[in-house]
Amino acid sequence: MPSTDSAAVIVARFLKANHYNETFEAFIAEAGLPQNAGITNQGDWTIEKILEEKKQFDSSLAFEKKGDDKNRGWSLPAPSKAVEPQVPIQSNVLCVSGCGQGDKEDEVILITTADRSWARVSPAVPFSLLGSIPNAHGSPVLAISSLPGGYILSTSMSGQLALHGSQGRLLDKCRDHLKYAVHVVSGLTRHGRWIVATAGWDQKVHIYAPESELAANFEPHGQSHLRDDEPYIPGLLRDPIHTITVPTNPESMVLVQHPDTMDLYLVVSRRDSTFLYYYRITPTAAESSSSRSSEVTYSVQETGKQNLAPHSNAWVAFTPSCLAVCPTDPQLLAVATSHLPHMKLIVVRLLFPTATYDPNTNTAAVADSQAVTPASQARAALALQDREDSAIKLHVSTMAPQTPYSTPQVVWRPGGHGVFINADDGVIRGVDTESGKVVAILKAHEVGSKVRTLYAGWEAGGQKEILVSGGFDKKVFVWRVDSE
């Protein structure tokens, strides 16, 4: 019987089988497929094209970095038992996250779905529903994050940013993105001021400095006449302190502090670029515990970039689609990439810029006392490549299948012992960040469904770790440590 699989599916099966030393023709024969398998449409891949793809895949293996065969980065016990929380879900799950008062014992689980709602779930068995907002936004909620004190930030497909209180009351909202606000992150300056950044598919990144004191001291007396969709504290989010315009859509962001200066940096990845871009956020007015946020102004300056593929070429190109900071080492970053046919995972140490950076030329300025010659520029470029290459601790293929429409996700285990990644086959994989090996396979979502989002945190009491997953099978699972 003729094969109904497309050429892309067949080559993915071939690569997944790890037949690195076997010809594609032999694989076709062994699988019982006709010699023209996958060639169903005029203009579809030919056998020659598939063989060329195989050669490029083999070449890309030379750029991978792996550890030894010992699983030193994966501790046991690890989450492996799936529990379905007592939460009614009627649509695809878009985001899961955690929110607390700054202590892991106070953590709650947040779930957003395509029906424009989000829910608060207890982190204790049986993971019951604590509360929900049926229409948190006017469109599906794509991302959710939290600030100290239980404040909740969320963004939607319409480009809106909303700030809710710990009990779900809308405090403020704004719409500065033209469409698809896909990511929101938050952090604190050295004096505890709020900084919030949103990324949208309008090729914009907006940075906000909300008035944290106003939110903390606000007393909602006489506000009972407000509707649920009217903000309690209009203007709390304020206008963006800075807007970054990028050539392609931003994909992911993290807010981290410099280990020496304690300056706050926004690290951004964007589509079709293998670089991380660094933006330093510094106050231009006095920032002290006694001054109001409205009196503080900030400067946002692009300070440098870091290549995640310093010695690569066309066939290993990828987009860093999800960035996750290690909870035990804030200078260590896990990167899930949009790479076909399988996700690549990169673990890299952040290289905070040390020289003056010229964003117009994308290069670091050379000291005035140093003569600039083609030879010196070549040596400097090579030295930079070697430094960027040394910063990459792990660069491996996870064999997690992806398509051009995938949304790669990676989360660290809360103790920093390995990461979990999603996939489009309904499977969650645990990866040892020392050896690069897939050491855990978690199956509960429907086979072949997209696992859209992941969150790793603590069960109530802070003693056992959990993993929360949500997918396009309209299900959420809390993965517990199996104590039996």
Side-chain angles (χ1 to χ4, degrees), residues 154-169:
S154 57
T155 56
S156 67
M157 290 182 69
S158 66
Q160 181 175 269
L161 168 67
L163 174 62
H164 288 78
S166 58
Q167 300 305 312
R169 184 61 173 129

Side-chain angles (χ1 to χ4, degrees), residues 366-445:
V366 181
D368 293 337
S369 60
Q370 180 181 352
V372 178
T373 65
S376 66
Q377 290 179 327
R379 286 193 298 267
L382 182 59
L384 177 60
Q385 287 181 343
D386 290 340
R387 184 167 176 258
E388 291 172 331
D389 186 66
S390 298
I392 299 174
K393 307 302 179 184
L394 191 73
H395 184 175
V396 296
S397 176
T398 63
M399 304 310 295
Q402 293 192 131
T403 71
Y405 308 102
S406 297
T407 53
Q409 295 284 293
V410 59
V411 292
W412 286 90
R413 294 178 61 185
H417 305 298
V419 298
F420 288 103
I421 60 171
N422 69 338
D424 284 359
D425 59 354
V427 177
I428 302 164
R429 292 163 173 81
V431 182
D432 182 346
T433 50
E434 293 290 339
S435 67
K437 295 194 299 183
V438 175
V439 294
I441 299 291
L442 307 183
K443 297 181 179 180
H445 289 277

Side-chain angles (χ1 to χ4, degrees), residues 177-180 198-206 243-250 270-271:
H177 289 287
L178 299 178
K179 60 180 180 180
Y180 285 26
T198 61
W201 279 5
D202 54 358
Q203 299 180 14
K204 305 284 187 183
V205 174
H206 295 301
T243 296
I244 303 169
T245 303
V246 291
T248 56
N249 287 332
R270 66 186 194 219
R271 185 173 300 175

